[in-house]
Amino acid sequence: MDLTTTAYGTWSGGRFMHFGETLSEERFLACIATAWDAGIRTFVTADVYGNGKADELLGQALADKPREEYCLVGMLGHDFYEGQRQGAKGYPRFTDPELHQPSHYRDYLRKACEKSLERCRTDRFDLLMLHNPDETGYTSDAVWDGLRALKSEGMAERLGLAPGPANGFSLDIIDCIERHGKDIDWAMLILNPLEPWPSCHVLPVCEKHGVKVLTRVADYGGLFHGDMKKGHEFKPGDHRSYRAEGWVDHGLDKIERMKPIAEKHGLSLIQFAAIWNLSQPAVESVVPTFIQEAGDNARSIDDQIRDLASLPDVRFSAEEVEMVRQIGDNTGCMTLKGASKRHQTSERPDEWPMREDLLELAGRLGLGDNW
């Protein structure tokens, strides 16, 4: 089964990511049940979330559902079996040379995939994605040989690329698609009406190479769920509190200018954001974050899930897409991750020096050299 238009991610609910209220295990399971009852049939998990706990809970929630009736997306990339957590950086990638050499990548991926499948209570992923790769993950033939082996062995029906955790990696993604495009069925990108950049550079390449796109954070930190007001105060520890000061108010001002298009089509804000994403070339699925905001007057996370699940089958015109893009244009608003001229050495697993071949790629595609 391929991905459906709407999807549910196990990072929702604040249990494995720090935003909003942290749901109890019972409530977390109930949200997955709500998604199922509302008609969502694609579920996305990553083995590193809760060191396998997200896999386990998803497997528990879907245990009585016919396997042929839902699409299961798994992600592998962080080695929490042998690697040591590095504070806020999380666990190292399995491609860290202190953990594994290229000759061991295939064995690691098989082991990690088998364990994730066991926790999910199934024998295959409909889509298996390389999660938050470092430079080696994007470029190494050994990594993609290992992933391709899992597909040939029937443990994954399709393969994909899931960059992150922050925004960027544009040239790295394009280069990876050009290197390994025959093995890449899907890519997961950050995209929403308030963040058209930098994924706008990657979408045409995905379209050209037949790579389908799953977009995450269509909600833009919760703003498109419509619950947050100007002056919103985050509870201590909420990771959104580390964003640039004023981002909520600034985003809400832009959303006000977008509302006439949403109202024209009779859409809620999250439906509007999802439809805008789906109106882009190659985008075929959306997986926003569902957040139970703090406070007595906050809307139920279950209502957010049902809101997305009732997404109508409409698309915006090219003129509407461009109008929204201009309002939400965020070009240059942040320091991007991945290959960059800013780095002379690779000191972090999500930042590394720019390579000449990537600059040549950027020049060939008309993307400039300011990276």
Side-chain angles (χ1 to χ4, degrees), residues 338-355:
S340 174
K341 292 179 179 179
R342 301 188 313 273
H343 310 301
Q344 298 303 313
T345 60
S346 182
E347 298 180 358
R348 298 178 181 85
D350 56 5
E351 297 177 335
W352 44 84
M354 177 57 68
R355 303 192 311 272

Side-chain angles (χ1 to χ4, degrees), residues 129-173:
M129 309 189 86
L130 181 63
H131 191 205
N132 298 347
D134 57 11
E135 185 179 20
T136 300
Y138 284 106
T139 59
S140 170
D141 289 339
V143 168
W144 290 92
D145 286 345
L147 290 168
R148 190 165 52 249
L150 296 178
K151 183 177 180 180
S152 66
E153 294 169 19
M155 300 170 71
E157 295 290 332
R158 301 167 187 82
L159 299 176
L161 181 64
N167 216 332
F169 309 100
S170 298
L171 297 183
D172 305 288
I173 298 167

Side-chain angles (χ1 to χ4, degrees), residues 2 36 39 67 109 122 124 134 136 160-161 178 192 243 260 264 289 322-323 330 347:
D2 209 350
W36 178 275
R67 181 62 184 86
L109 286 167
T122 187
R124 73 190 184 283
D134 57 11
T136 300
L161 181 64
E178 292 194 348
N192 62 72
R243 293 191 180 196
K264 171 186 173 182
T289 302
E322 177 59 18
M323 185 183 305
N330 65 321
E347 298 180 358

Side-chain angles (χ1 to χ4, degrees), residues 31-279:
C31 283
I32 299 174
T34 296
W36 178 275
D37 292 342
I40 292 176
R41 289 297 182 268
T42 296
F43 298 88
V44 187
T45 186
D47 65 345
V48 74
Y49 297 157
N51 294 6
K53 189 63 177 179
D55 286 352
E56 290 181 11
L57 292 176
L58 183 61
Q60 180 180 341
L62 298 177
D64 63 343
K65 311 302 181 188
R67 181 62 184 86
E68 67 276 8
E69 292 187 13
Y70 67 89
C71 177
L72 180 62
V73 181
M75 297 189 287
L76 309 175
H78 295 265
D79 185 353
F80 60 91
Y81 300 103
E82 298 180 34
Q84 297 296 313
R85 186 176 180 88
Q86 301 168 350
K89 298 179 184 178
Y91 286 94
R93 279 62 168 178
F94 74 91
T95 44
D96 186 324
E98 294 186 6
L99 292 173
H100 304 284
Q101 294 302 310
S103 59
H104 297 151
Y105 291 168
R106 180 179 295 196
D107 289 342
Y108 172 81
L109 286 167
R110 180 180 289 107
K111 178 189 75 172
C113 188
E114 289 173 343
K115 289 181 178 295
S116 186
L117 286 170
E118 181 179 359
R119 291 189 294 264
C120 291
R121 305 189 188 188
T122 187
D123 61 353
R124 73 190 184 283
F125 287 114
D126 295 285
L127 170 63
L128 180 64
M129 309 189 86
L130 181 63
H131 191 205
N132 298 347
D134 57 11
E135 185 179 20
T136 300
Y138 284 106
T139 59
S140 170
D141 289 339
V143 168
W144 290 92
D145 286 345
L147 290 168
R148 190 165 52 249
L150 296 178
K151 183 177 180 180
S152 66
E153 294 169 19
M155 300 170 71
E157 295 290 332
R158 301 167 187 82
L159 299 176
L161 181 64
N167 216 332
F169 309 100
S170 298
L171 297 183
D172 305 288
I173 298 167
I174 295 171
D175 177 62
C176 187
I177 290 173
E178 292 194 348
R179 288 173 184 263
H180 305 288
K182 67 182 186 301
D183 297 316
I184 302 175
D185 301 294
W186 283 82
M188 182 160 68
L189 305 177
I190 292 175
L191 185 70
N192 62 72
L194 292 174
E195 289 182 290
W197 175 84
S199 288
C200 58
H201 299 313
V202 181
L203 291 173
V205 177
C206 290
E207 183 182 25
K208 176 183 176 181
H209 289 268
V211 175
K212 299 177 182 180
V213 175
L214 166 66
T215 59
R216 63 183 177 98
V217 296
D219 55 286
Y220 189 69
L223 258 63
F224 281 105
H225 286 306
D227 302 324
M228 298 166 64
K229 309 301 180 186
K230 286 192 173 183
H232 183 88
E233 293 187 8
F234 296 99
K235 73 172 191 176
D238 191 308
H239 72 181
R240 295 171 294 174
S241 63
Y242 300 108
R243 293 191 180 196
E245 185 176 355
W247 72 272
V248 171
D249 291 5
H250 185 58
L252 290 174
D253 285 339
K254 288 188 173 185
I255 288 174
E256 281 298 317
R257 296 168 59 194
M258 298 175 183
K259 279 184 177 179
I261 296 177
E263 292 168 353
K264 171 186 173 182
H265 293 276
L267 302 172
S268 69
L269 287 180
I270 192 60
Q271 291 174 349
F272 162 79
I275 294 296
W276 186 82
N277 280 10
L278 291 164
S279 300

